[in-house]
Amino acid sequence: GWPILWIGVASILAAIAYTGGPFPFGYYGLGDFFVFMFFGPAAVIVTYFAHVQSLSPAAVLASLPMGFLITAILVINKLRDIDSDRKAGKLTLAVRLNTSGTRLEFLLLLMAAYLISLLMWLLEITSGWVMLSWLSLPLAISLIRAAWHVTGSQLNETLAGTGRLTLVYAILFSLGLIIPVL
């Protein structure tokens, strides 16, 4: 219906406006927020709604870890590029937060993803199977350590690892959501 179409159009416009147009919001510290919103809540909730024609607390909460983890990929990318972005006059959130603040943002995003799955279980929104996502925690811990000790182009491996973490977490989290239904 129309709401899904409008969200799709907004997603396309946001992708273009990230680095283009008169106000490229990615260069003004707003990229993290828009990446979170469009790759987390918008993508997951709209997909869920398109399939079942309703919303649920589980769908809303399930959208958050995905947004957090996709944003963490962006954060590591921006951590790597702080110096070049600063020189180019790009006022990304990472440039504004500096290295230590950006590392803290990365840590908080990863922690939030894991805490949401725990919250979903503790609030009995899903079964304990959702805790399968925590099997990816050793990977997250190694990425957090790397983010604190590595700089510049050496962060490329951490960037790739954050992408892998997102995939592994998403698979385990999804299995945790569907196993009780099987």
Side-chain angles (χ1 to χ4, degrees), residues 31-52:
D32 299 44
F33 172 76
F34 282 99
V35 165
F36 170 77
M37 290 305 296
F38 283 104
F39 284 91
V44 174
I45 293 169
V46 168
T47 300
Y48 181 86
F49 183 82
H51 284 87
V52 299

Side-chain angles (χ1 to χ4, degrees), residues 64-65 67-73 75-76 103-117 134 136-145 147-148 158 161-163 165-166 169:
L64 300 178
F68 292 140
L69 292 170
I70 295 297
T71 305
I73 294 170
V75 168
I76 283 295
R103 287 174 172 156
L104 179 60
E105 180 189 10
F106 181 72
L107 169 67
L108 293 174
L109 287 166
L110 295 188
M111 286 177 52
Y114 289 94
L115 290 175
I116 292 295
S117 58
W134 281 50
S136 65
L137 196 55
L139 179 55
I141 291 168
S142 71
L143 293 168
I144 291 164
R145 284 187 183 132
W148 249 263
T158 309
T162 306
L165 170 65
T166 302
Y169 181 100

Side-chain angles (χ1 to χ4, degrees), residues 9 13 17 25 33 50 52 56 64 74 76 80 83 91 100 114 116 138 140 142 147 181:
V9 169
L13 292 175
F25 58 79
F33 172 76
V52 299
S56 74
L64 300 178
L74 175 70
I76 283 295
R80 181 196 62 196
D83 291 334
L91 297 175
S100 59
Y114 289 94
I116 292 295
S142 71
V181 178

Side-chain angles (χ1 to χ4, degrees), residues 48-143:
Y48 181 86
F49 183 82
H51 284 87
V52 299
Q53 300 297 305
S54 68
L55 291 178
S56 74
V60 173
L61 285 172
S63 73
L64 300 178
M66 297 298 86
F68 292 140
L69 292 170
I70 295 297
T71 305
I73 294 170
L74 175 70
V75 168
I76 283 295
N77 185 58
K78 294 302 179 185
L79 177 62
R80 181 196 62 196
D81 297 342
I82 283 177
D83 291 334
S84 61
D85 284 350
R86 185 178 289 120
K87 288 176 187 171
K90 297 177 185 176
L91 297 175
T92 64
L93 186 57
V95 168
R96 293 172 188 266
L97 294 175
N98 291 311
T99 301
S100 59
T102 303
R103 287 174 172 156
L104 179 60
E105 180 189 10
F106 181 72
L107 169 67
L108 293 174
L109 287 166
L110 295 188
M111 286 177 52
Y114 289 94
L115 290 175
I116 292 295
S117 58
L118 177 62
L119 181 68
M120 291 176 73
W121 174 50
L122 292 176
L123 294 177
E124 298 180 355
I125 293 171
T126 62
S127 76
W129 283 105
V130 77
M131 295 303 292
L132 280 174
S133 60
W134 281 50
L135 292 174
S136 65
L137 196 55
L139 179 55
I141 291 168
S142 71
L143 293 168

